[in-house]
Amino acid sequence: MFDRLPLLIGLRYVRAKRRNHFISFISLTSMLGLMLGVAVLILVLSVMNGFDHELRTRVLGMVPHTKIEAPGGLTDWQPLAERLMERERVIGAAPYVEQQGMFSVGGRNEGAMVNGIEPEWESRVSIIDENMRNGSLGDLTPGEWNIVLGSILARRLGVGVGDRVTLLVPEASITPAGVFPRLKRFTVSGIFSVGADLDASLAYAHIDDMQTLARLDDAVGGLRLELDDLFAAGSETRSIIDELGAGYRGLDWTYSHGNLFQAIQMEKRMIALLLTVIIAVAAFNIVSTLVMVVTDKRADIAILRTIGATPRSIMGIFIVQGLAIGVIGILVGVTLGVLLAWTVSDLIGWVESTFGIHFLDAGVYFISNLPSRLIWSDVGNIVSAAFMLTFLSTLYPAWRAARVQPAEVLRYE
């Protein structure tokens, strides 16, 4: 009987209507606080995961995981590409020629990075093929001086497919008339859009045209590599350079975009910490609830002690009661949080269309919808943390209940 006593009485105390309505109010407040804290934490972490995933797929889908370069360029790149493709982690390789320049059209000037690519190879390391708004990479044929622009870059220049743009490169050409910047007229053959800042700063041309413009002859600037795990880029790049030996250098994506992803991870951790404090406040409200319940039930505790209940059993009663309050709040919070994480994108879209409000301006944030990605390991961590805080909050009131002396309480009954 006494083995089941803590569970039976603890659950009965949860269901029972109390004479002291203030205790019931504090208990309900604790439950609601846990519910809202857990739900909001799940929702916010899901949104942060969504932004992280969007940046990985969009930005790192266009940015190489790692680049292999050599001073003066790579003259015999195809055998090297095939050799690197034999490595376990390398799943794609493509040559490139990078040239920083400025586009000029009708008095409008915009700086951008122009990548000279081999269209047949580029799909191995980039998602640009999947994000062409107009035209295709196949239109980049050598000698025709065609170019593909990012959507924001094209809009700022005021050009579309078929228009002509002038590219000025920061290298001087010496002519009988003096020193002039090198420039070349291109025809816009396509426009891409990945929904990231690369749409404003990136353009593609055929690698043969860029070799001619950069005076590289048959050499290429380097090889872009796609890996099966982008977070292994650092170690894999070092391993490749060690294998190739002196004369080569490698740059992975963390040099160009690492700070962006580190900032997102830092924000995620800080937000999780702050919202966990909200859960802790709600959990420790249970302390107040149980302390008042212990005071209210001193006579019941004394009677139980006189019929043989041990201090451990008394302690278990109030631990069960506190955990029951916390578990109900946590379960309802998890259900609400998961539902919101799954539907927040649609809810925000409905609010925007109904009230004409735009939460995310694509021209500012490079993303027009609120992404959400639920990761169950995050939910598990949240539930574990909330449960642990709830359990800790029950220990002190339960310990006080176990120390109640039956003789002192029943003396005045």
Tab-separated table of all heavy atoms in Angstrom, residues 58 127-137 139 148-155 159-161 189-196 199 362 368:
chain	number	residue	atom	x	y	z
A	58	ARG	N	21.068	27.818	-50.214
A	58	ARG	CA	21.125	28.876	-51.217
A	58	ARG	C	22.530	29.438	-51.391
A	58	ARG	O	23.070	29.464	-52.505
A	58	ARG	CB	20.164	30.003	-50.842
A	58	ARG	CG	18.703	29.569	-50.862
A	58	ARG	CD	17.790	30.759	-50.671
A	58	ARG	NE	16.391	30.358	-50.602
A	58	ARG	CZ	15.373	31.182	-50.745
A	58	ARG	NH1	15.596	32.458	-50.967
A	58	ARG	NH2	14.135	30.750	-50.662
A	127	ILE	N	24.218	25.066	-57.780
A	127	ILE	CA	22.783	24.894	-58.001
A	127	ILE	C	22.250	25.949	-58.964
A	127	ILE	O	21.040	26.148	-59.060
A	127	ILE	CB	22.004	24.987	-56.674
A	127	ILE	CG1	22.210	26.371	-56.018
A	127	ILE	CG2	22.394	23.871	-55.735
A	127	ILE	CD1	21.322	26.614	-54.813
A	128	ILE	N	23.128	26.616	-59.709
A	128	ILE	CA	22.683	27.696	-60.581
A	128	ILE	C	21.731	27.185	-61.661
A	128	ILE	O	20.790	27.875	-62.050
A	128	ILE	CB	23.892	28.429	-61.218
A	128	ILE	CG1	23.387	29.611	-62.043
A	128	ILE	CG2	24.742	27.481	-62.038
A	128	ILE	CD1	24.475	30.487	-62.594
A	129	ASP	N	21.953	25.971	-62.159
A	129	ASP	CA	21.061	25.412	-63.181
A	129	ASP	C	19.617	25.355	-62.695
A	129	ASP	O	18.683	25.551	-63.481
A	129	ASP	CB	21.514	23.996	-63.572
A	129	ASP	CG	22.403	24.020	-64.805
A	129	ASP	OD1	22.355	25.029	-65.533
A	129	ASP	OD2	23.146	23.050	-65.032
A	130	GLU	N	19.431	25.078	-61.397
A	130	GLU	CA	18.092	24.936	-60.844
A	130	GLU	C	17.449	26.293	-60.540
A	130	GLU	O	16.256	26.338	-60.203
A	130	GLU	CB	18.155	24.117	-59.543
A	130	GLU	CG	18.858	22.770	-59.707
A	130	GLU	CD	19.207	22.146	-58.364
A	130	GLU	OE1	18.703	22.668	-57.338
A	130	GLU	OE2	19.981	21.183	-58.337
A	131	ASN	N	18.200	27.377	-60.658
A	131	ASN	CA	17.697	28.689	-60.263
A	131	ASN	C	17.782	29.714	-61.396
A	131	ASN	O	17.823	30.918	-61.133
A	131	ASN	CB	18.477	29.198	-59.045
A	131	ASN	CG	18.217	28.378	-57.798
A	131	ASN	OD1	17.271	28.610	-57.076
A	131	ASN	ND2	19.086	27.396	-57.548
A	132	MET	N	17.786	29.245	-62.629
A	132	MET	CA	17.776	30.155	-63.770
A	132	MET	C	16.364	30.696	-63.967
A	132	MET	O	15.419	29.937	-64.158
A	132	MET	CB	18.263	29.443	-65.024
A	132	MET	CG	19.725	29.047	-65.012
A	132	MET	SD	20.853	30.460	-64.946
A	132	MET	CE	20.454	31.286	-66.487
A	133	ARG	N	16.230	32.019	-63.908
A	133	ARG	CA	14.924	32.643	-64.126
A	133	ARG	C	14.666	32.826	-65.615
A	133	ARG	O	13.539	32.648	-66.096
A	133	ARG	CB	14.874	33.986	-63.415
A	133	ARG	CG	13.551	34.715	-63.575
A	133	ARG	CD	13.557	36.048	-62.838
A	133	ARG	NE	13.629	35.859	-61.387
A	133	ARG	CZ	13.632	36.884	-60.530
A	133	ARG	NH1	13.597	38.137	-60.980
A	133	ARG	NH2	13.690	36.647	-59.233
A	134	ASN	N	15.685	33.219	-66.369
A	134	ASN	CA	15.591	33.364	-67.828
A	134	ASN	C	16.848	32.794	-68.450
A	134	ASN	O	17.942	32.947	-67.912
A	134	ASN	CB	15.444	34.842	-68.233
A	134	ASN	CG	14.230	35.506	-67.619
A	134	ASN	OD1	14.355	36.298	-66.700
A	134	ASN	ND2	13.041	35.175	-68.102
A	135	GLY	N	16.699	32.159	-69.618
A	135	GLY	CA	17.854	31.615	-70.309
A	135	GLY	C	18.404	30.375	-69.624
A	135	GLY	O	17.783	29.802	-68.717
A	136	SER	N	19.593	29.961	-70.045
A	136	SER	CA	20.237	28.777	-69.472
A	136	SER	C	21.742	28.908	-69.605
A	136	SER	O	22.248	29.734	-70.385
A	136	SER	CB	19.761	27.504	-70.183
A	136	SER	OG	20.235	27.474	-71.520
A	137	LEU	N	22.453	28.082	-68.845
A	137	LEU	CA	23.915	28.103	-68.935
A	137	LEU	C	24.400	27.643	-70.292
A	137	LEU	O	25.511	27.982	-70.715
A	137	LEU	CB	24.513	27.214	-67.841
A	137	LEU	CG	24.408	27.712	-66.393
A	137	LEU	CD1	25.143	26.753	-65.472
A	137	LEU	CD2	24.944	29.116	-66.240
A	139	ASP	N	23.575	28.687	-73.011
A	139	ASP	CA	23.729	29.832	-73.911
A	139	ASP	C	25.111	30.464	-73.812
A	139	ASP	O	25.449	31.337	-74.625
A	139	ASP	CB	22.672	30.898	-73.597
A	139	ASP	CG	21.254	30.389	-73.829
A	139	ASP	OD1	21.072	29.558	-74.732
A	139	ASP	OD2	20.338	30.820	-73.090
A	148	VAL	N	25.604	35.716	-67.819
A	148	VAL	CA	24.426	35.471	-66.983
A	148	VAL	C	24.567	36.317	-65.727
A	148	VAL	O	25.588	36.233	-65.034
A	148	VAL	CB	24.309	33.975	-66.628
A	148	VAL	CG1	23.175	33.752	-65.631
A	148	VAL	CG2	24.073	33.139	-67.878
A	149	LEU	N	23.551	37.112	-65.427
A	149	LEU	CA	23.594	38.016	-64.287
A	149	LEU	C	22.645	37.564	-63.183
A	149	LEU	O	21.620	36.927	-63.456
A	149	LEU	CB	23.194	39.441	-64.709
A	149	LEU	CG	24.017	40.113	-65.816
A	149	LEU	CD1	23.438	41.485	-66.125
A	149	LEU	CD2	25.479	40.227	-65.414
A	150	GLY	N	22.971	37.931	-61.935
A	150	GLY	CA	22.035	37.742	-60.839
A	150	GLY	C	20.848	38.676	-60.997
A	150	GLY	O	20.951	39.763	-61.585
A	151	SER	N	19.695	38.270	-60.456
A	151	SER	CA	18.463	39.030	-60.679
A	151	SER	C	18.542	40.448	-60.114
A	151	SER	O	18.088	41.408	-60.748
A	151	SER	CB	17.282	38.285	-60.058
A	151	SER	OG	17.494	38.071	-58.667
A	152	ILE	N	19.107	40.612	-58.920
A	152	ILE	CA	19.205	41.944	-58.317
A	152	ILE	C	20.204	42.809	-59.087
A	152	ILE	O	19.965	44.003	-59.327
A	152	ILE	CB	19.593	41.842	-56.837
A	152	ILE	CG1	18.519	41.077	-56.053
A	152	ILE	CG2	19.808	43.215	-56.225
A	152	ILE	CD1	18.862	40.847	-54.598
A	153	LEU	N	21.302	42.203	-59.507
A	153	LEU	CA	22.291	42.933	-60.305
A	153	LEU	C	21.669	43.402	-61.620
A	153	LEU	O	21.872	44.561	-62.044
A	153	LEU	CB	23.501	42.043	-60.562
A	153	LEU	CG	24.631	42.631	-61.418
A	153	LEU	CD1	25.209	43.875	-60.752
A	153	LEU	CD2	25.725	41.588	-61.642
A	154	ALA	N	20.900	42.531	-62.284
A	154	ALA	CA	20.252	42.902	-63.547
A	154	ALA	C	19.236	44.018	-63.322
A	154	ALA	O	19.128	44.950	-64.137
A	154	ALA	CB	19.578	41.674	-64.154
A	155	ARG	N	18.497	43.942	-62.198
A	155	ARG	CA	17.504	44.980	-61.919
A	155	ARG	C	18.169	46.322	-61.649
A	155	ARG	O	17.691	47.374	-62.097
A	155	ARG	CB	16.653	44.558	-60.723
A	155	ARG	CG	15.519	45.528	-60.433
A	155	ARG	CD	14.595	45.040	-59.336
A	155	ARG	NE	15.223	45.062	-58.026
A	155	ARG	CZ	15.474	43.986	-57.303
A	155	ARG	NH1	15.157	42.787	-57.757
A	155	ARG	NH2	16.040	44.082	-56.114
A	159	VAL	N	18.708	45.975	-66.987
A	159	VAL	CA	18.893	45.192	-68.215
A	159	VAL	C	18.126	43.884	-68.123
A	159	VAL	O	17.757	43.429	-67.029
A	159	VAL	CB	20.386	44.909	-68.477
A	159	VAL	CG1	21.152	46.195	-68.673
A	159	VAL	CG2	20.994	44.094	-67.328
A	160	GLY	N	17.887	43.292	-69.253
A	160	GLY	CA	17.244	41.996	-69.352
A	160	GLY	C	17.945	41.156	-70.404
A	160	GLY	O	18.989	41.561	-70.961
A	161	VAL	N	17.396	39.998	-70.688
A	161	VAL	CA	17.990	39.101	-71.682
A	161	VAL	C	18.014	39.797	-73.046
A	161	VAL	O	17.021	40.378	-73.493
A	161	VAL	CB	17.198	37.784	-71.763
A	161	VAL	CG1	17.736	36.913	-72.891
A	161	VAL	CG2	17.284	37.040	-70.438
A	189	SER	N	22.560	36.878	-71.599
A	189	SER	CA	21.873	35.704	-72.149
A	189	SER	C	21.022	34.979	-71.117
A	189	SER	O	20.294	34.048	-71.454
A	189	SER	CB	22.897	34.725	-72.733
A	189	SER	OG	23.771	34.243	-71.716
A	190	GLY	N	21.115	35.365	-69.839
A	190	GLY	CA	20.338	34.689	-68.807
A	190	GLY	C	20.370	35.448	-67.498
A	190	GLY	O	21.245	36.302	-67.274
A	191	ILE	N	19.391	35.174	-66.651
A	191	ILE	CA	19.295	35.784	-65.323
A	191	ILE	C	18.960	34.686	-64.325
A	191	ILE	O	18.057	33.884	-64.566
A	191	ILE	CB	18.216	36.886	-65.290
A	191	ILE	CG1	18.611	38.048	-66.198
A	191	ILE	CG2	18.002	37.390	-63.859
A	191	ILE	CD1	17.549	39.126	-66.324
A	192	PHE	N	19.691	34.633	-63.212
A	192	PHE	CA	19.431	33.632	-62.175
A	192	PHE	C	18.996	34.308	-60.887
A	192	PHE	O	19.238	35.507	-60.670
A	192	PHE	CB	20.666	32.749	-61.914
A	192	PHE	CG	21.804	33.470	-61.244
A	192	PHE	CD1	21.879	33.575	-59.859
A	192	PHE	CD2	22.827	34.037	-62.004
A	192	PHE	CE1	22.931	34.229	-59.235
A	192	PHE	CE2	23.884	34.698	-61.385
A	192	PHE	CZ	23.938	34.792	-60.005
A	193	SER	N	18.348	33.558	-60.019
A	193	SER	CA	17.906	34.073	-58.724
A	193	SER	C	17.922	32.947	-57.710
A	193	SER	O	17.218	31.947	-57.872
A	193	SER	CB	16.491	34.660	-58.827
A	193	SER	OG	16.031	35.074	-57.545
A	194	VAL	N	18.756	33.097	-56.686
A	194	VAL	CA	18.820	32.098	-55.610
A	194	VAL	C	18.245	32.637	-54.306
A	194	VAL	O	18.230	31.949	-53.292
A	194	VAL	CB	20.268	31.610	-55.374
A	194	VAL	CG1	20.775	30.847	-56.560
A	194	VAL	CG2	21.188	32.783	-55.036
A	195	GLY	N	17.782	33.891	-54.312
A	195	GLY	CA	17.204	34.462	-53.107
A	195	GLY	C	18.217	34.761	-52.033
A	195	GLY	O	17.924	34.646	-50.847
A	196	ALA	N	19.428	35.129	-52.423
A	196	ALA	CA	20.479	35.481	-51.462
A	196	ALA	C	21.240	36.678	-51.998
A	196	ALA	O	21.001	37.142	-53.112
A	196	ALA	CB	21.410	34.293	-51.213
A	199	ASP	N	22.732	37.250	-55.580
A	199	ASP	CA	21.981	37.767	-56.733
A	199	ASP	C	22.412	39.187	-57.098
A	199	ASP	O	22.152	39.644	-58.208
A	199	ASP	CB	20.483	37.765	-56.436
A	199	ASP	CG	19.923	36.354	-56.335
A	199	ASP	OD1	20.585	35.422	-56.819
A	199	ASP	OD2	18.831	36.188	-55.770
A	362	ALA	N	12.160	41.003	-49.367
A	362	ALA	CA	13.168	40.241	-50.117
A	362	ALA	C	14.326	41.127	-50.562
A	362	ALA	O	15.453	40.655	-50.718
A	362	ALA	CB	12.526	39.578	-51.329
A	368	SER	N	11.912	35.984	-48.779
A	368	SER	CA	10.596	36.618	-48.711
A	368	SER	C	9.635	35.907	-47.768
A	368	SER	O	8.572	36.440	-47.459
A	368	SER	CB	9.976	36.668	-50.115
A	368	SER	OG	9.868	35.367	-50.664
